[in-house]
Amino acid sequence: DGTSRVDPPQPPREEQTVSLRTSDAIFEFSTRGGGIKTVDVLGQHAVGTEEVDVMLNRAAKQVVGSLTKGTDRFLDEYYQLISSDARSVVFAAEVEAGVLVRKKWSLLESEEGMAYRVELELSVENQSEKSVELADYGLFLGTAAPLYKREWENQTGLFYLEGQDFEFEAVTWFKKGWFREARPLFSREIGSIGYAGVSNQFFTTIVSPVEAYDGEMWGKVSNLTLPEVAGGGDKKAVRAGISLPKETLGPNGGQKTVKFEVLMGPKWNKMLRRIGGERGKVMNYGLFSFVSNPLNRALNYIHRVVFSPVSDKWSWGFSIVLL
């Protein structure tokens, strides 16, 4: 509707959810935080079942897109559900005295990987008598955790793109080492944030500012016990957030709108590379990229052309053997 000003809503104290569906995913949004509670990745079955889909952000207590003020300090509790239809949902809340927030989530149109991508239009308006520093607030990027006990521990972690430089820190970064104590907190200043997010070995959440800006990223880990069907045992889950742009909102009406693209789905090399913006680096092949990328392309070609039309159940296994 083109306006960012909203009257302070009176949100209900009970959670309401609404879903936006694409061909390959169901995004479930919640009034508790005004963001993405979970993403049901259709057709990607959880370990040990052919009925239950993989559910991203399932291990989180907060929604993707929740606002923070400081490290791991979540501001917004309940939002008013303003409107929703098949392609968008709008939330609004007064997160602090005189600070009004409006979040519009929309499905993308005709974009590569659009089945796993949504746009967030975040508007912050200052109706208080004092100036507000937008960078004091942050955006929660979600939580990633292993789905199976044999997933590589060094593939679950947080990441960011600074300019053209991709950086990844696994959950092992937080552990106690031979010559250092355990690290409880990841905190880093980042120049020109291209994107930031969290991932496990096979799935990822990538939050990309439409216009890159300088900011700060934080990350923490927590303990997770896998269900027996997934092998059981204790694992680490990682969660992270980034600050909003550095800008002062003047009193009595100063406002700013920031747009983000959010991808929550499988780490498919071809899809990520086609989306562009250096997202292919989220595959995190590291020093072996020059070998891994060609092998990955060859494997997908063999699967698509040779075995997928013959056997859906064993096609990947056959493709690996042939490769």
Side-chain angles (χ1 to χ4, degrees), residues 234-273:
D234 294 330
K235 290 286 189 178
K236 293 288 186 183
V238 62
R239 62 188 183 276
I242 56 172
S243 62
L244 294 181
K246 297 175 182 177
E247 187 163 327
T248 301
L249 304 183
N252 302 313
Q255 68 92 28
K256 175 71 173 180
T257 297
V258 188
K259 290 185 178 181
F260 299 87
E261 286 187 3
V262 180
L263 183 152
M264 298 181 69
K267 288 165 66 175
W268 285 348
N269 193 9
K270 183 178 180 180
M271 177 184 73
L272 294 176
R273 285 188 289 105

Side-chain angles (χ1 to χ4, degrees), residues 96-305:
E96 290 189 309
V99 179
L100 307 183
V101 172
R102 181 179 182 270
K103 300 178 184 179
K104 181 179 181 181
W105 297 88
S106 306
L107 299 181
L108 294 180
E109 298 276 2
S110 302
E111 298 277 351
E112 181 71 35
M114 66 180 184
Y116 305 107
R117 296 166 66 192
V118 294
E119 180 184 77
L120 167 60
E121 183 179 284
L122 173 66
S123 298
V124 182
E125 182 174 357
N126 177 23
Q127 292 186 356
S128 71
E129 300 296 324
K130 299 180 180 179
S131 295
V132 169
E133 296 301 324
L134 190 64
D136 288 344
Y137 299 91
L139 194 72
F140 184 55
L141 305 177
T143 296
L147 303 176
Y148 183 55
K149 70 173 182 179
R150 294 181 65 182
E151 281 190 39
W152 293 346
E153 194 172 38
N154 62 1
Q155 287 293 321
T156 295
L158 55 86
F159 57 83
Y160 63 88
L161 184 74
E162 183 175 20
Q164 300 295 310
D165 298 326
F166 177 80
E167 297 291 338
F168 178 88
E169 296 292 356
V171 293
T172 52
W173 182 90
F174 295 87
K175 286 187 173 182
K176 182 177 180 179
W178 287 101
F179 303 106
R180 62 173 172 80
E181 295 297 318
R183 297 162 167 163
L185 172 68
F186 173 91
S187 180
R188 192 161 298 172
E189 291 286 339
I190 306 172
S192 187
I193 302 173
Y195 58 70
V198 293
S199 66
N200 61 22
Q201 190 169 342
F202 301 106
F203 295 88
T204 187
T205 297
I206 308 173
V207 178
S208 311
V210 173
E211 295 183 5
Y213 61 84
D214 298 346
E216 183 178 353
M217 183 177 184
W218 62 266
K220 300 188 79 171
V221 295
S222 58
N223 294 322
L224 171 76
T225 301
L226 291 176
E228 288 302 318
V229 70
D234 294 330
K235 290 286 189 178
K236 293 288 186 183
V238 62
R239 62 188 183 276
I242 56 172
S243 62
L244 294 181
K246 297 175 182 177
E247 187 163 327
T248 301
L249 304 183
N252 302 313
Q255 68 92 28
K256 175 71 173 180
T257 297
V258 188
K259 290 185 178 181
F260 299 87
E261 286 187 3
V262 180
L263 183 152
M264 298 181 69
K267 288 165 66 175
W268 285 348
N269 193 9
K270 183 178 180 180
M271 177 184 73
L272 294 176
R273 285 188 289 105
R274 284 188 170 182
I275 291 172
E278 304 293 331
R279 289 174 178 82
K281 293 180 177 179
V282 174
M283 297 301 297
N284 194 31
Y285 289 141
L287 294 176
F288 295 98
S289 293
F290 70 99
V291 174
S292 300
N293 266 311
L295 287 177
N296 181 274
R297 296 180 191 183
L299 178 64
N300 278 276
Y301 178 82
I302 294 170
H303 173 260
R304 184 178 72 255
V305 175

